[in-house]
Amino acid sequence: MTTAQFDCQYCTASLLGKKYVLKDDNPYCVSCYDRIFSNYCEECKEPIESDSKDLCYKGRHWHEGCFNCAKCNHSLVEKPFAAKDERLLCSECYSNECSSKCFHCKRTIMPGSRKMEFKGNYWHETCFVCEHCRQPIGTKPLISKENGNYCVPCFEKEFAHYCSFCKKVITSGGITFHDQPWHKECFLCSGCRKELCEEEFMSKDDYPFCLDCYNHLYAKKCSACTKPITGLRGAKFICFQDRQWHSECFNCGKCSVSLVGEGFLTQNKEIFCRKCGSGVDADNK
């Protein structure tokens, strides 16, 4: 390039002896360069001229003096920072405003440090420990109890019950039958092996039975309707000699009046109220 040709690419003014800026191998006077190519500062909205430092973050630009924390206004130049809702914050302000608090020690979990999450709460990794052995749980299996979290070995040692059927640890749920713990899936009818945890059941010789099996195997039959007498939910029944009746079935064999609490007469397998049975050769009861 000859001296006669050394002119500003935009305004063609001679650049001899003047300050200039090269852009794509083309020279520009400072004034033209700043007007055409300068970025605008996100903070002060003024152009960042060629003699100023242009700090860029994710396509946005700042003067060096404008590159500050949006909350405390301290400079972020050559310091760690984080973005929150388009704002730039120093590490301390970001931690105070945005970081989680440890459920155990209540202190801020600093950005970049490992945190543990459980049931919507957060812990420092070193604070998320077994309540018994105080060792960090990390990502190992755990069991939660009212007063804290436990690693599985400590929970089994301190609290666990063992199923009366399979002899394995009951870690959650379960039911109690005759003061003995059972897994829900292990509490089965002693007859048909159906699960009983959501069913009504009866007990015989300390063994549980579903109603169908109990009625089939053990229940007395009503002398009137011949259906099983279970006594469930406080149902009342009448016994006389070797016979039984549902309370609602204990009626006069002739007029059907209820005999519950009343005197009655019997003849063979029949029962009668006193009125109906007065003409019958019957035993007075």
Side-chain angles (χ1 to χ4, degrees):
M1 181 181 293
T2 66
T3 56
Q5 295 172 322
F6 195 57
D7 300 331
C8 173
Q9 184 70 22
Y10 186 75
C11 68
T12 69
S14 175
L15 298 177
L16 290 174
K18 297 180 180 179
K19 195 173 182 180
Y20 66 92
V21 180
L22 282 175
K23 174 73 172 177
D24 298 330
D25 293 331
N26 294 314
Y28 293 87
C29 66
V30 172
S31 178
C32 288
Y33 180 88
D34 289 343
R35 184 167 61 253
I36 299 170
F37 300 110
S38 289
N39 296 307
Y40 283 78
C41 177
E42 288 284 331
E43 180 64 24
C44 69
K45 311 305 179 186
E46 296 294 328
I48 303 173
E49 298 174 339
S50 57
D51 59 351
S52 299
K53 200 171 199 177
D54 186 336
L55 300 180
C56 179
Y57 175 72
K58 290 189 175 181
R60 301 160 66 198
H61 299 265
W62 287 263
H63 290 105
E64 184 176 17
C66 295
F67 194 60
N68 302 324
C69 172
K71 189 169 184 180
C72 69
N73 207 39
H74 289 167
S75 175
L76 299 177
V77 177
E78 296 183 358
K79 294 180 180 178
F81 63 90
K84 172 69 174 177
D85 300 329
E86 300 297 318
R87 299 184 305 152
L88 300 185
L89 301 170
C90 65
S91 295
E92 183 175 354
C93 288
Y94 182 85
S95 297
N96 292 334
E97 183 172 317
C98 310
S99 294
S100 304
K101 304 291 183 182
C102 177
F103 186 77
H104 175 71
C105 70
K106 311 305 180 186
R107 295 178 181 174
T108 298
I109 301 175
M110 298 298 290
S113 62
R114 190 173 182 186
K115 66 180 178 182
M116 310 304 297
E117 180 180 1
F118 181 65
K119 290 187 176 180
N121 294 313
Y122 298 92
W123 283 261
H124 293 106
E125 185 177 22
T126 53
C127 291
F128 192 60
V129 299
C130 170
E131 286 292 330
H132 182 69
C133 68
R134 309 307 299 171
Q135 294 301 308
I137 296 175
T139 58
K140 294 182 293 187
L142 65 89
I143 299 172
S144 183
K145 197 172 171 62
E146 293 82 1
N147 62 335
N149 303 311
Y150 295 82
C151 65
V152 173
C154 285
F155 182 87
E156 292 181 357
K157 180 180 178 181
E158 293 295 309
F159 305 108
H161 297 289
Y162 290 81
C163 176
S164 295
F165 179 75
C166 70
K167 310 306 179 185
K168 294 180 180 179
V169 171
I170 300 173
T171 57
S172 63
I175 63 173
T176 300
F177 174 67
H178 287 317
D179 296 324
Q180 296 297 319
W182 304 65
H183 288 114
K184 288 183 178 180
E185 60 272 20
C186 291
F187 190 60
L188 309 175
C189 171
S190 297
C192 66
R193 311 308 295 166
K194 177 174 68 174
E195 286 192 16
L196 297 177
C197 61
E198 302 293 337
E199 303 285 338
E200 289 185 309
F201 65 91
M202 299 291 290
S203 175
K204 177 67 175 176
D205 299 328
D206 293 337
Y207 291 98
F209 292 87
C210 68
L211 296 187
D212 288 341
C213 287
Y214 182 85
N215 290 341
H216 175 70
L217 296 171
Y218 303 110
K220 302 291 186 180
K221 303 298 188 294
C222 176
S223 294
C225 70
T226 70
K227 293 181 180 178
I229 298 174
T230 63
L232 282 174
R233 294 181 290 279
K236 296 180 179 180
F237 57 95
I238 311 297
C239 292
F240 176 68
Q241 294 179 349
D242 61 346
R243 292 185 290 167
Q244 298 82 27
W245 291 263
H246 293 110
S247 180
E248 62 272 18
C249 295
F250 192 59
N251 303 322
C252 175
K254 188 172 182 180
C255 70
S256 298
V257 68
S258 175
L259 299 178
V260 177
E262 304 290 338
F264 62 93
L265 302 170
T266 67
Q267 186 180 51
N268 298 325
K269 295 294 183 180
E270 295 289 338
I271 57 173
F272 300 97
C273 64
R274 290 187 180 276
K275 181 179 180 180
C276 294
S278 59
V280 181
D281 183 13
D283 295 325
N284 213 351
K285 305 299 175 187

